Amino acid sequence: MGRYGVLGLLLIINIFNYIDRNALAGVSPLLKTAFQLNDATIGLLGSAFLLTYTLVAVPFGIWSDLWKPQKVAAIGILIWSLACVLTSTSTSETQLFIWRSLVGVGEAAYVATAGTIISKRFDSGQRSKMLGVFNLGLPLGAALGVVLGGMIGERLGWGAVFVIVGVPGFLLAVMAWLIRDYTPMQNPVAGFPPTEVKDKEGFDWLKLKGTLKLPYLLVVLGYIGISYCFGAVINFLPLYLTRIMHFSLGKAATKSGIIIVLAGLLGAPIGGWIADRWYVRYRGGRGFTLLLACLVSAILMWLGIGLQSTLLFGLAAFFMLWHVGVAAAMVFDTTQRLVWNSATAIAMLFMHLLGDVPSSAITGLISDQYGLVMAFNFLPVAMLIGGIAFGLSGYLQAKSEGSTY
């Protein structure tokens, strides 16, 4: 399978990754009724998934640096698909928490490895764009998860949703297992063919510690800020549209899906294209692209809340989703290739542990006490902090490389 075939397969798997993750949001009104849950508990269900997802990401990242990332990814796909199907058997709140936690274990294995599988096949000048294509799975899968959850749930019940979206993962796990190993090639020198890039040393903790410097740590902080905002929006947008804007469950799920998918289809590739072009001219270009995108998105989100406008929510999501490929590329820009899987996993650990793990629970608690509108108004602040961190990382990268226009 060629590199574009691998990219296409990993994109399809990533779509199902986010479908299985976000189907819960689509059926959350049904779960509230079936299990007598409040908003805080709905938030905690999302946090249960993200907590295990976060805690096991680093071990899976290190394992894939030591072994074959495509095999680790395949094992993860199998685990999350099985756990998703078994969610349909839940008869108590505790069982829901258990199965959602295991979905997080499997998805962590995949996300910790897929970016490296792709990045080894494309040079640094293409990385934001290709990772942006891969990360189209986020808006497409999140939208489909919410829409399918709402539509199937209304017709067949919430349990059928998890069976229907989980079963395809078994086939995808086999296909991921069959991806061949790949050795990156250096650019050819005039008169000579391309040569393999060989690692002089294997993974070790000192190498990992030495590569985690301030520009990388600022990328992680940027991830935390945008993850805090986006995670809560994904989890609570259907509830917001039903409760505050008085849409039916099916219409709220569809509206949420349209906002997310259109924003991702346009935002991820446009953001990646702009960031790559800016990066070629100026090494801080990727960070500055995200600084501007987060600023505009925060302003639009506040306006959307104030004016109760789904159009403004959609525009805010468009700029918010510029980050999906660009931030991933910045992780690779600021670390050594030998520890890419581990560096990605560490970024995931903190972006979830301090980002969307607490944000769903905190948003639910604020909503129960002060209302969902008040809870939503806090979210753009975190995104602004993330944008500033991305911008500072870009500035430090440019300064260290002596980059100028």
Side-chain angles (χ1 to χ4, degrees):
M1 187 185 297
R3 59 180 184 166
Y4 288 102
V6 171
L7 175 63
L9 173 59
L10 295 180
L11 170 60
I12 292 169
I13 296 171
N14 207 28
I15 290 171
F16 276 94
N17 168 19
Y18 284 98
I19 288 174
D20 293 359
R21 182 184 307 187
N22 290 285
L24 180 73
V27 297
S28 59
L30 300 177
L31 293 176
K32 281 173 66 70
T33 301
F35 293 94
Q36 298 298 301
L37 308 177
N38 58 22
D39 286 354
T41 305
I42 290 292
L44 287 170
L45 274 173
S47 296
F49 160 85
L50 289 167
L51 184 60
T52 54
Y53 178 90
T54 298
L55 293 176
V56 302
V58 172
F60 275 124
I62 294 172
W63 184 23
S64 58
D65 278 329
L66 294 169
W67 192 40
K68 299 180 178 183
Q70 70 273 23
K71 308 297 187 189
V72 177
I75 292 168
I77 297 164
L78 182 61
I79 292 171
W80 100 54
S81 300
L82 180 60
C84 186
V85 171
L86 290 173
T87 302
S88 67
T89 67
S90 299
T91 58
S92 68
E93 183 180 320
T94 300
Q95 290 177 3
L96 280 175
F97 273 97
I98 291 171
W99 297 127
R100 294 309 295 173
S101 297
L102 286 174
V103 171
V105 171
E107 293 194 7
Y110 179 68
V111 176
T113 55
T116 297
I117 295 170
I118 293 167
S119 292
K120 285 182 176 180
R121 288 166 167 79
F122 297 94
D123 62 42
S124 60
Q126 297 177 291
R127 227 167 257 153
S128 286
K129 183 168 62 178
M130 295 307 167
L131 288 169
V133 171
F134 166 72
N135 281 296
L136 286 174
L138 191 162
L140 289 171
L144 285 170
V146 172
V147 171
L148 290 173
M151 294 177 64
I152 297 171
E154 273 193 324
R155 290 163 175 77
L156 302 177
W158 64 267
V161 173
F162 295 105
V163 175
I164 291 170
V165 302
V167 167
F170 300 129
L171 174 60
L172 294 172
V174 174
M175 296 177 72
W177 184 272
L178 296 176
I179 294 174
R180 294 184 178 182
D181 292 336
Y182 182 85
T183 303
M185 306 295 285
Q186 291 177 340
N187 292 328
V189 179
F192 296 90
T195 57
E196 292 185 353
V197 176
K198 295 289 187 181
D199 296 332
K200 294 180 180 179
E201 304 174 50
F203 171 87
D204 63 62
W205 287 103
L206 289 177
K207 191 176 294 296
L208 176 61
K209 181 180 177 181
T211 196
L212 305 185
K213 298 179 180 178
L214 185 57
Y216 167 79
L217 297 177
L218 285 167
V219 173
V220 174
L221 178 58
Y223 257 133
I224 291 169
I226 204 162
S227 176
Y228 186 99
C229 180
F230 188 68
V233 169
I234 286 289
N235 209 31
F236 281 97
L237 186 57
L239 277 177
Y240 188 96
L241 295 180
T242 56
R243 183 181 303 169
I244 307 302
M245 301 182 71
H246 309 296
F247 290 114
S248 67
L249 173 59
K251 191 171 182 181
T254 302
K255 284 272 188 182
S256 300
I258 290 171
I259 287 171
I260 296 165
V261 74
L262 288 181
L265 283 174
L266 297 174
I270 289 174
W273 180 79
I274 291 172
D276 277 344
R277 288 180 66 85
W278 201 345
Y279 177 80
V280 169
R281 296 182 62 197
Y282 177 67
R283 285 297 182 257
R286 285 176 177 150
F288 288 175
T289 297
L290 295 187
L291 170 61
L292 293 174
C294 289
L295 174 62
V296 174
S297 181
I299 293 170
L300 288 169
M301 187 170 175
W302 273 317
L303 288 173
I305 294 167
L307 298 174
Q308 294 300 302
S309 168
T310 54
L311 174 61
L312 290 174
F313 277 133
L315 290 172
F318 165 74
F319 285 101
M320 194 185 306
L321 289 170
W322 279 28
H323 85 281
V324 292
V326 182
M330 290 183 71
V331 169
F332 300 128
D333 292 341
T334 55
T335 56
Q336 298 178 31
R337 187 173 63 83
L338 283 173
V339 294
W340 275 357
N341 290 311
S342 301
T344 299
I346 290 170
M348 287 171 52
L349 169 65
F350 287 102
M351 71 179 273
H352 294 304
L353 191 63
L354 302 178
D356 47 9
V357 167
S359 76
S360 291
I362 291 170
T363 300
L365 288 169
I366 294 172
S367 176
D368 284 336
Q369 293 295 318
Y370 304 104
L372 198 50
V373 172
M374 178 65 74
F376 262 51
N377 269 302
F378 283 104
L379 299 178
V381 176
M383 187 160 52
L384 284 176
I385 294 171
I388 292 169
F390 284 127
L392 286 173
S393 177
Y395 169 76
L396 292 176
Q397 289 178 59
K399 185 178 179 181
S400 68
E401 296 184 26
S403 187
T404 58
Y405 279 101

